[in-house]
Amino acid sequence: MNTASTKRGMLRRHLWTALFVLLAVAAASWALPRALFGPIVPVVSVVQRDFVQSVVASGRVQAPHRIDIGAQITGTVIAVPVAEGQIVRAGQVLVELDATELKAALQQALTAVAQAQAKLRQLHEVQAPVAEQNVRQAQTTLEHARTQQRRNEELFGKGFIGQATLDDSRKNVELADAQLRAAQRQLESARAGGSDVALAETALAQARANADAARARLSYATITAPVAGTLIGRNVERGDVVQPGKVLMTLSPSGDTQLVVQIDEKNLALLASGQHAIASADAYPGKRFDATLAYINPGVNAQTGAVEVKLDVPDPPPELRQDMTVSVDIEVARRQNAVLVPTDAVRQPQSASPWVLRVVDGRAQRAPVRVGLRSGGWSEVLEGVEPGDLVVPAGVPDVVDGMRVRPRVDAASPE
């Protein structure tokens, strides 16, 4: 019995030992690669392909669309040569404001331009030649004074003149030398690049800018039709005092169906007339049609921070109806063979020094990048990475510069 019991005890100890060894081997097989080669981390490949940056927005169909027309300055209406319901052409005068003061201001500004031009011309044609003549005269005077001084020194040495006469000749040389230096400075100032010329050129540029501003304000006194169409509203009469922001007329332009969408003001710098867009009605998402950006409202909605944008639809689908909700993708930029990374792989993207974690030879390395276009979750990289490089998304925790890692490529490609 003792022998059997002993054997069973030894067997149990061997089993426990074997189990412990197996667990140790399993732990080592898990921990050793991690310790030697780092953890497995998901990465994405840098890709290269044509890339389109777009601004996405939603809005409504407006057919016929309307344009509210107002004044850009405060003024008194002296003429309204059009009537409600009238068809007008692009550029036709709709409202005229009293421009008496604006014309006087422009004339005053043009006079200032003429004076500044005359001053600059005077420097070139009169003051510079006179300054040159003064320099020559001062040089002659100085040479004469020096000659006289040398003669007086000889006479003084012979006892023919006194010390006072000699001192006077020396003072004359000093005075002539000072006059020459002053004349030279005046000549330098009157020549191109001199201080007088620089001041005159600056004054001329300022006068021209003031004239341009006065000319622009004068143009605001004549309100014209931005496009051809029909006046469907008129809220102004002769003698009214109008102010910026007040709708004076409503114009229904002739032409194609339009889409009116609201764009976040942060995208305003990306927009330009003529940009191509793809749109679809929410009721028919599978039927996409072309549109062209035609109008950007100069104002921003203070409550929503949005800018109203209008797009022409040259060939509207038959199912498109007034006030339908539409989704629009406006193409604002395009790159051929752009180098792309997912936007979430770019660290500090809004800073002056964005960067990515690139995996090189089994280590995460910080690589500064220069970012270009951004759209649809992808960013164009102009410098810093190459196609085929592996980068670590920003959402992967506990990965730092210089750390050993084992990359696991996640499938991703820009649409």
Side-chain angles (χ1 to χ4, degrees), residues 335-354:
R335 294 281 194 276
Q336 292 185 342
N337 297 321
V339 178
L340 306 174
V341 299
T343 298
D344 62 5
V346 181
R347 321 294 176 102
Q348 300 176 334
Q350 303 303 325
S351 71
S353 303

Side-chain angles (χ1 to χ4, degrees), residues 54-270:
S54 61
V55 173
V56 181
S58 61
R60 293 191 175 276
V61 178
Q62 196 173 74
H65 55 283
R66 302 177 179 184
I67 296 177
D68 291 331
I69 298 172
Q72 293 180 274
I73 58 174
T74 299
T76 302
V77 177
I78 61 173
V80 186
V82 292
E84 187 172 353
Q86 180 176 336
I87 298 175
V88 297
R89 64 184 183 278
Q92 183 173 342
V93 176
L94 304 181
V95 180
E96 293 184 21
L97 305 181
D98 184 4
T100 303
E101 292 185 9
L102 298 176
K103 290 178 180 178
L106 176 58
Q107 186 58 48
Q108 185 177 12
L110 293 175
T111 301
V113 171
Q115 290 175 342
Q117 290 173 330
K119 175 63 178 177
L120 186 60
R121 189 166 58 251
Q122 182 185 35
L123 282 172
H124 292 311
E125 299 177 358
V126 179
Q127 291 185 340
V130 169
E132 291 177 355
Q133 180 61 33
N134 290 339
V135 168
R136 288 193 293 269
Q137 183 175 352
Q139 289 172 338
T140 301
T141 302
L142 177 59
E143 292 173 0
H144 177 75
R146 286 173 175 170
T147 301
Q148 186 64 38
Q149 180 186 8
R150 288 192 296 270
R151 184 180 300 114
N152 286 344
E153 287 175 347
E154 293 175 359
L155 293 175
F156 178 78
K158 295 178 180 179
F160 293 126
I161 61 173
Q163 183 67 44
T165 302
L166 180 61
D167 291 342
D168 287 342
S169 65
R170 289 174 178 172
K171 290 179 181 178
N172 289 338
V173 170
E174 293 174 355
L175 178 60
D177 185 61
Q179 290 175 340
L180 175 59
R181 290 196 299 270
Q184 288 172 337
R185 285 194 293 269
Q186 289 179 347
L187 177 58
E188 291 173 357
S189 179
R191 282 176 171 172
S195 59
D196 286 349
V197 173
L199 288 173
E201 290 175 343
T202 301
L204 177 58
Q206 181 64 50
R208 285 172 171 166
N210 292 338
D212 290 340
R215 191 177 291 107
R217 289 186 62 82
L218 178 59
S219 70
Y220 296 155
T222 303
I223 303 173
T224 60
V227 295
T230 304
L231 289 175
I232 59 176
R234 169 179 158 172
N235 305 311
V236 62
E237 298 295 338
R238 182 176 179 181
D240 289 350
V241 176
V242 298
Q243 297 178 340
K246 179 182 177 182
V247 177
L248 306 181
M249 294 183 176
T250 302
L251 177 68
S252 177
S254 305
D256 300 321
T257 297
Q258 283 198 327
L259 310 178
V260 180
V261 300
Q262 304 296 321
I263 303 291
D264 193 300
E265 63 178 313
K266 67 182 180 182
N267 294 318
L268 182 58
L270 302 175

